[in-house]
Amino acid sequence: MFRTKRSVLVRRLWRSRAPGGEEEEEEEAAAAAEARAHACGEGRGCCPGKAGRGCGASAGAESELKALTHTVLKRLKERQLEGLLHAVESRGGARTPCLQLPAKADSRLGQHSYPLPVLLCKVFRWPDLRHCSEVKRLCCCESYGKAHAELVCCNPYHLSRLCELESPPPPYSRYPMDFLKPTDSQVLQEPGDRSHWCVVAYWEEKTRVGRLYSVQEPSLDIFYDLPQGNGFCLGQLNSDNKSQLVQKVRSKIGYGIQLTKEVDGVWVYNRSSYPIFIKSATLDNPDSRTLLVHKVFPGFSIKAFDYEKAYTLQRPNDHEFTQQPWTGFTVQISFVKGWGQCYTRQFISSCPCWLEVIFNNR
């Protein structure tokens, strides 16, 4: 039997789904089956302690997810399927168009109803995703900032997962403020070009590599290897560091991060396949004498800098602080490796590959 191009695209998309989705649906199916079993006085299946789940729960949950996904995908035009497949197979590395679908078309899976953007993110990126409040649109998306549009973008790589801040913070991730490395922040206090909103410095351990990168566009990609995109390419910088650890971490930067200036502050989106670690004065309690280092997993976003909050922060009066530049308008980001009290790296200057983002406080 000959297959149409659309059916081939649908099959390829299903094979490219995120791993682990079946387990999530199995849990829901098992819970529902157990509830029905208790209501009917049954529950003695083939697996002791898993009443009502039966041997067909796994296959049933996967079949339901597959049927729903195929139903949604078959509504798409061939060009839309090609764009979605390109986004999924490149893991967001390629620039792909928006996938505009009706905003009110929800899909029901088990006991839950999901908007189409959430469903496709759940299938292709985060199987544990539950609600639209857990994701954030990227500024490259046509649906960004549109609250009540008739069409909404369902491209799963035009959204990121929101990073929830720890409360209370774990002690291992505390960064002592008694080590404030002299920075290039004085660049922003000198007369000159005021059109940039930040500058970025790339460091390998204690050595800065390359020149300061001045950022004027609202969004900047910082990467080592990206199939498509413009921005700050760390792979083009000449580094004399021969450390095996530095070279290993450098090779893991991959798609890197996306730095975006938005209405409510500056957001960092982790596009790489490994965690990043962020320290910012506006992410922590203003009264704290230590700054928290936040771990951001792949695919997650965090508001790394808040302008309003930064202006309200008081410059420390201690003598040890006044002898060095105040870091209230600086964010530090380490690729792959973290630092803190429970790491061998106490300070970010010991991290193999890291960034210093210095904001224009004017």
Side-chain angles (χ1 to χ4, degrees):
M1 180 182 295
F2 293 100
R3 295 173 182 166
T4 64
K5 185 176 181 180
R6 293 181 73 255
S7 65
V8 171
L9 292 172
V10 170
R11 289 170 63 88
R12 285 179 62 185
L13 278 164
W14 176 248
R15 289 197 298 266
S16 301
R17 67 191 184 277
E22 296 84 359
E23 287 80 354
E24 293 292 329
E25 302 311 320
E26 285 173 27
E27 293 177 2
E28 294 183 9
E34 186 174 358
R36 289 194 299 269
H38 282 298
C40 300
E42 300 174 355
R44 295 180 181 178
C46 60
C47 301
K50 296 182 180 180
R53 180 168 182 170
C55 297
S58 173
E62 182 177 3
S63 297
E64 184 179 4
L65 178 63
K66 181 177 181 179
L68 179 59
T69 304
H70 277 63
T71 300
V72 172
L73 296 179
K74 287 178 180 178
R75 301 177 194 165
L76 307 184
K77 299 178 181 178
E78 186 175 300
R79 181 173 296 182
Q80 291 177 314
L81 288 171
E82 290 175 338
L84 177 59
L85 182 63
H86 191 29
V88 171
E89 291 187 338
S90 69
R91 294 181 295 109
R95 292 183 175 179
T96 52
C98 287
L99 177 60
Q100 298 284 7
L101 296 176
K104 297 182 179 180
D106 290 358
S107 298
R108 190 164 190 83
L109 182 62
Q111 298 179 336
H112 300 278
S113 180
Y114 298 104
L116 287 181
V118 175
L119 175 67
L120 293 183
C121 283
K122 185 178 179 67
V123 172
F124 295 110
R125 299 197 69 184
W126 308 293
D128 62 335
L129 186 65
R130 299 293 184 188
H131 196 268
C132 58
S133 61
E134 300 175 36
V135 294
K136 175 186 180 298
R137 290 205 172 273
L138 302 177
C139 63
C140 64
C141 182
E142 294 179 10
S143 296
Y144 175 78
K146 297 180 180 179
H148 303 289
E150 294 183 0
L151 297 177
V152 62
C153 175
C154 299
N155 187 329
Y157 283 91
H158 284 190
L159 294 102
S160 64
R161 194 86 179 259
L162 280 172
C163 184
E164 295 184 2
L165 303 184
E166 303 94 337
S167 180
Y172 64 83
S173 58
R174 283 291 180 180
Y175 176 87
M177 288 184 66
D178 57 359
F179 179 84
L180 292 179
K181 175 185 59 61
T183 69
D184 294 289
S185 57
Q186 50 263 46
V187 173
L188 302 182
Q189 301 170 3
E190 298 174 354
D193 183 13
R194 298 193 179 191
S195 60
H196 69 276
W197 58 272
C198 77
V199 293
V200 180
Y202 170 62
W203 296 76
E204 291 179 352
E205 296 174 329
K206 296 181 180 180
T207 304
R208 196 181 80 194
V209 180
R211 301 175 60 185
L212 290 173
Y213 191 97
S214 180
V215 185
Q216 299 177 348
E217 298 296 326
S219 181
L220 172 70
D221 289 324
I222 305 174
F223 56 92
Y224 188 83
D225 181 22
L226 189 64
Q228 292 180 330
N230 300 317
F232 190 8
C233 179
L234 306 180
Q236 294 181 349
L237 300 179
N238 295 322
S239 172
D240 297 327
N241 197 315
K242 305 300 182 183
S243 166
Q244 290 186 355
L245 180 58
V246 170
Q247 294 180 11
K248 182 178 180 180
V249 171
R250 193 188 302 150
S251 67
K252 293 182 177 181
I253 295 175
Y255 296 172
I257 65 171
Q258 187 175 83
L259 194 67
T260 308
K261 182 183 179 184
E262 303 185 24
V263 175
D264 59 342
V266 178
W267 286 80
V268 174
Y269 169 43
N270 184 5
R271 304 182 66 185
S272 74
S273 301
Y274 297 89
I276 61 173
F277 298 82
I278 297 181
K279 179 184 75 68
S280 169
T282 65
L283 280 174
D284 212 354
N285 188 331
D287 299 326
S288 176
R289 288 190 54 82
T290 56
L291 296 183
L292 181 64
V293 177
H294 296 271
K295 185 176 184 179
V296 182
F297 288 97
F300 280 66
S301 286
I302 188 172
K303 187 167 77 169
F305 186 75
D306 187 316
Y307 282 95
E308 292 186 7
K309 189 173 181 180
Y311 282 117
T312 63
L313 293 175
Q314 297 297 318
R315 185 186 299 269
N317 297 319
D318 304 67
H319 176 73
E320 62 175 318
F321 292 122
T322 58
Q323 301 305 308
Q324 303 182 64
W326 169 234
T327 59
F329 280 80
T330 301
V331 169
Q332 294 173 331
I333 305 170
S334 174
F335 294 103
V336 184
K337 300 295 183 180
W339 74 99
Q341 294 180 3
C342 286
Y343 287 89
T344 56
R345 296 166 295 276
Q346 293 294 298
F347 310 115
I348 194 171
S349 58
S350 299
C351 292
C353 304
W354 57 282
L355 301 169
E356 187 173 35
V357 184
I358 309 160
F359 300 101
N360 191 336
N361 56 11
R362 293 193 298 260

